Short mmCIF file of all heavy atoms in Angstrom, two decimals:
data_model
loop_
_atom_site.label_atom_id
_atom_site.label_comp_id
_atom_site.label_asym_id
_atom_site.label_seq_id
_atom_site.Cartn_x
_atom_site.Cartn_y
_atom_site.Cartn_z
N PRO A 8 174.60 95.59 82.59
CA PRO A 8 173.77 94.64 83.33
C PRO A 8 173.10 93.63 82.41
O PRO A 8 172.89 93.89 81.22
CB PRO A 8 172.70 95.54 83.95
CG PRO A 8 172.48 96.60 82.91
CD PRO A 8 173.82 96.80 82.20
N GLY A 9 172.77 92.48 82.96
CA GLY A 9 172.04 91.49 82.18
C GLY A 9 171.83 90.22 82.96
O GLY A 9 172.30 90.08 84.09
N SER A 10 171.11 89.29 82.34
CA SER A 10 170.90 87.98 82.96
C SER A 10 172.05 87.03 82.62
O SER A 10 172.41 86.18 83.43
CB SER A 10 169.58 87.36 82.48
OG SER A 10 168.51 88.24 82.72
N LEU A 37 172.27 89.88 86.95
CA LEU A 37 171.02 89.96 87.72
C LEU A 37 170.70 88.60 88.33
O LEU A 37 170.59 87.60 87.61
CB LEU A 37 169.87 90.40 86.82
CG LEU A 37 168.53 90.54 87.54
CD1 LEU A 37 168.56 91.71 88.51
CD2 LEU A 37 167.39 90.70 86.56
N LYS A 42 162.52 84.81 85.79
CA LYS A 42 162.68 83.59 84.98
C LYS A 42 163.47 82.54 85.79
O LYS A 42 164.31 82.89 86.60
CB LYS A 42 163.48 83.91 83.71
CG LYS A 42 163.07 85.17 82.98
CD LYS A 42 164.14 85.59 81.98
CE LYS A 42 164.11 87.06 81.67
NZ LYS A 42 165.28 87.56 80.96
N PHE A 70 174.08 91.02 91.21
CA PHE A 70 173.26 91.96 91.98
C PHE A 70 171.82 91.51 91.98
O PHE A 70 171.39 90.77 91.10
CB PHE A 70 173.38 93.39 91.42
CG PHE A 70 172.63 93.67 90.14
CD1 PHE A 70 171.39 94.33 90.17
CD2 PHE A 70 173.14 93.28 88.91
CE1 PHE A 70 170.69 94.61 89.00
CE2 PHE A 70 172.45 93.55 87.72
CZ PHE A 70 171.22 94.22 87.77
N GLY A 72 167.74 93.31 93.18
CA GLY A 72 167.12 94.60 93.42
C GLY A 72 167.16 95.44 92.17
O GLY A 72 167.27 94.91 91.06
N LEU A 73 167.08 96.75 92.36
CA LEU A 73 166.98 97.65 91.21
C LEU A 73 168.34 97.95 90.61
O LEU A 73 169.32 98.13 91.33
CB LEU A 73 166.32 98.97 91.63
CG LEU A 73 164.82 98.95 91.90
CD1 LEU A 73 164.36 100.35 92.28
CD2 LEU A 73 164.05 98.44 90.69
N LEU A 74 168.35 98.04 89.29
CA LEU A 74 169.57 98.37 88.58
C LEU A 74 170.14 99.71 89.05
O LEU A 74 171.35 99.84 89.27
CB LEU A 74 169.29 98.39 87.07
CG LEU A 74 170.43 98.83 86.17
CD1 LEU A 74 171.64 97.93 86.33
CD2 LEU A 74 169.97 98.88 84.72
N ARG A 88 173.88 99.10 77.33
CA ARG A 88 173.06 97.98 76.85
C ARG A 88 173.27 97.83 75.35
O ARG A 88 173.58 98.79 74.65
CB ARG A 88 171.57 98.27 77.14
CG ARG A 88 171.22 98.31 78.63
CD ARG A 88 171.07 96.95 79.26
NE ARG A 88 169.87 96.26 78.80
CZ ARG A 88 169.64 94.97 79.04
NH1 ARG A 88 170.53 94.22 79.70
NH2 ARG A 88 168.52 94.41 78.60
N TYR A 98 161.81 98.15 74.33
CA TYR A 98 161.95 97.72 75.73
C TYR A 98 162.97 98.59 76.46
O TYR A 98 162.72 99.09 77.56
CB TYR A 98 162.40 96.25 75.72
CG TYR A 98 162.72 95.66 77.06
CD1 TYR A 98 161.74 95.09 77.85
CD2 TYR A 98 164.04 95.65 77.53
CE1 TYR A 98 162.04 94.53 79.09
CE2 TYR A 98 164.35 95.09 78.76
CZ TYR A 98 163.36 94.54 79.53
OH TYR A 98 163.66 94.00 80.75
N TRP A 102 162.83 101.58 79.89
CA TRP A 102 163.56 101.44 81.15
C TRP A 102 164.58 102.55 81.32
O TRP A 102 164.79 103.06 82.43
CB TRP A 102 164.21 100.06 81.25
CG TRP A 102 163.22 99.03 81.69
CD1 TRP A 102 162.79 97.94 80.98
CD2 TRP A 102 162.48 99.02 82.91
NE1 TRP A 102 161.85 97.25 81.70
CE2 TRP A 102 161.63 97.88 82.88
CE3 TRP A 102 162.45 99.85 84.03
CZ2 TRP A 102 160.77 97.55 83.94
CZ3 TRP A 102 161.58 99.52 85.08
CH2 TRP A 102 160.78 98.39 85.02
N ASN A 106 164.45 104.87 84.49
CA ASN A 106 165.61 104.93 85.39
C ASN A 106 166.14 106.35 85.50
O ASN A 106 166.54 106.80 86.58
CB ASN A 106 166.72 104.00 84.88
CG ASN A 106 166.40 102.53 85.13
OD1 ASN A 106 165.48 102.20 85.89
ND2 ASN A 106 167.13 101.65 84.49
O1 LIG B 1 169.85 90.38 79.88
P1 LIG B 1 168.49 90.91 80.24
O2 LIG B 1 167.68 89.82 80.89
O3 LIG B 1 167.80 91.54 79.10
O4 LIG B 1 168.77 92.05 81.35
C1 LIG B 1 167.70 92.78 81.94
C2 LIG B 1 168.20 93.66 83.10
C3 LIG B 1 169.05 92.89 84.07
C4 LIG B 1 169.01 94.82 82.55
C5 LIG B 1 166.95 94.24 83.78
O5 LIG B 1 166.03 93.22 84.02
C6 LIG B 1 167.25 94.90 85.13
O6 LIG B 1 167.97 95.86 85.20
N1 LIG B 1 166.69 94.35 86.21
C7 LIG B 1 166.93 94.81 87.55
C8 LIG B 1 165.67 95.36 88.17
C9 LIG B 1 165.40 96.73 87.63
O7 LIG B 1 166.05 97.70 87.95
N2 LIG B 1 164.42 96.80 86.74
C10 LIG B 1 164.11 97.99 86.07
C11 LIG B 1 165.14 98.40 85.07
S1 LIG B 1 165.39 97.33 83.68
#
Side-chain angles (χ1 to χ4, degrees):
S10 305
L37 181 69
K42 315 164 205 167
F70 76 100
L73 287 181
L74 175 60
R88 294 281 289 168
Y98 174 88
W102 279 117
N106 286 346

